[in-house]
Structure formats: structure tokens, C-alpha cells
Amino acid sequence: MRDFYFHTPSSVSEAISLLSQYGEDGRLISGGTALVTMMKQSLVLADHLISLRGIPGLDNIWLESDGVHIGALVNHRAIEMSPVIREHIPLLSEIYGHVATVRIRNQATVGGGLAHGDPAQDPPPGLIVMNAKVKLESHEGSRTLPVADLFRDYYETNIAQSEVLTEVVVPLLPPNASGIYLRYTPQTADDYPTVAVAAVAVMEDEVCRDIALALGATGPTPIQAISLQSALQDQPITANTIKETAELVANEVDPLDDFRGSAEYKRNMAVVFTRRALQCVLKVRP
């Protein structure tokens, strides 16, 4: 790994100024679990690393009227163990508890993970179905971006070079909502999933009143199953309905062949795990 300068700003505005000063030669770093590995492999070149670790207030979790707010420096383990999240959004705690190992979860941060843009990460599908948003700050001010619109391509996001991701806001689920996160890992439990599915639904009198389903590790970005959601919205639900509708994701995913399986295998597993997720949240036995 080549030499670099390491900067420790004490405020978000100072970090933004350093990003503007160094342009493409500057990179933000928080936990560093992904970035340092990629720098060692020369997949990322950076002359200036700008650490967010010294900025106060970015490692807090708190509840407001619009949902749970999570600072960008909160690590995965803190989300997994947070009493606030366990009480108000237990599904989120469960999802972050699946990430890698406890050692990694103690280091990796929520903001760094999202900015990394890896399509095989566990959290994004869950954040998408929970309608989570990220807060981005720059010299032009701040803006919010739905996590569903955050990802552009493999390891590419819609975060501008001059922006700092400072916060994630996750709305509370409706009291009558059911949620689930399923992941398939044929190798080890702490590996990236071969296929991952997150779903949230509201059922009323055996009719699907609301449904959101997203998949990870099945394309260049996390994928929201739009056609499936449209097909189920406000429809009576039966076991046969779920079986037929789950097949729709085969045309929405775009997996690659790799050591975790062929594209065809992953597409088939996407259908299987989508069906299982739907059976759970729509409360229909197979």
C-alpha cells in the first residue's frame, strides 16, 4: 500500500473543506474495514485519508417523531445491541447482527458500509424495505436521499465527491407490519450471502395492504422487487399466489457467476428465498 496523508477533522464542515481541497485524491474513512483492504490491493488509490472518527455527535442513536436516527459513525454492533433499536425496530437489529463477525461489527460503521456500495452487504435490502434515508452534507447544504436511490453500480453510489454521509433515518414500521430478513450462505455463516431477501408487509383480512421486498447479492446494486410488489398490492393472498408471484423476481435480478454460485443458481435461489420471505410476512403456510 502506498503512502498517504491522514487528516483528522474535528467537524463535518472541516471534513467537507478537506474533501473540496483534495478532490479525487481525498477519501473519507470511518471504520476502514473495506477501504483499507481495497487500498492494500491497489483497488483504491488515495493520497489523503480524511478520518471522521474525531467528529463529535456522529456516533449517537436517538428516537424522533420521524423514526430512529443513526449517526454515520455508529458501528454495526451498536445497532445490533441498541435498546432503542431493539425496542422500536427489532428487524434492523437482527439484520446488522448477521454482518460478518463480532470483531468486524465492532469496527465497521453504518455510514461507511453504505458509502462503500457493495451489493452483497446485508443491511441495504432491509433499509430499503423500511424506507430508510441518508442525510448528506456539503458546502451547498444538506439533502436526504432514500437508501433505495443510493446505489448506482458495483461499489458506486450517488453520493457526490464533495458530500459527507452523516446520518441514517429509519422510520418505525406500522404496528401491524411483519418483517423478515433471510440470507443464504452455503459456505460459512459469516460470509457474504449468496442471496439475501428482506420483506415488510401489512396483512388485513387475508389481503395484502402493503408490501416491500428487496434483494441483495443478486445484481450490481440491491434490487427492490417492483413488479412483485405491484402484483401483490391489495390482493387476496393464497399459497398459490405467493408461489406464482415469487417467480417474478427471476426477471428482476441480474446476478454474476462467481465462487458462491452461477448466475442461474443465484437466480433460482432468489425465487426460493423470496417465496419463503413472502410466506412469512404474508402469514401463509406453504
Side-chain angles (χ1 to χ4, degrees), residues 183-187 191-197 215-218 249-250 253-274 276:
R183 67 199 306 268
Y184 176 50
T185 54
Q187 300 188 43
D191 190 18
Y192 278 126
T194 298
V195 168
V197 180
L215 299 100
T218 55
V249 301
V253 299
D254 186 22
L256 290 177
D257 296 326
D258 61 24
F259 68 92
R260 293 186 179 91
S262 67
E264 180 181 5
Y265 178 70
K266 293 178 183 178
R267 186 172 285 107
N268 290 335
M269 288 299 100
V271 172
V272 169
F273 278 81
T274 293
R276 293 178 183 178

Side-chain angles (χ1 to χ4, degrees), residues 131-186:
N131 295 315
K133 297 179 179 180
V134 297
K135 182 179 180 181
L136 304 169
E137 297 191 35
S138 69
H139 281 312
E140 284 71 42
S142 64
R143 67 180 178 119
T144 58
L145 183 67
V147 173
D149 298 331
L150 180 62
F151 306 100
R152 180 186 299 171
D153 206 335
Y154 281 104
Y155 300 99
E156 293 184 15
T157 71
N158 288 312
I159 302 173
Q161 189 278 330
S162 60
E163 290 182 316
V164 177
L165 194 162
T166 58
E167 193 176 302
V168 180
V169 182
V170 187
L172 304 188
L173 297 178
N176 56 343
S178 296
I180 194 170
Y181 177 68
L182 299 177
R183 67 199 306 268
Y184 176 50
T185 54

Side-chain angles (χ1 to χ4, degrees), residues 7 17 24 39 58 73 80 126 132 144 160 173 241 247 272:
H7 304 268
S17 295
E24 295 296 329
M39 290 178 67
L58 294 185
L73 289 185
E80 177 189 2
T144 58
L173 297 178
T241 301
E247 297 288 339
V272 169

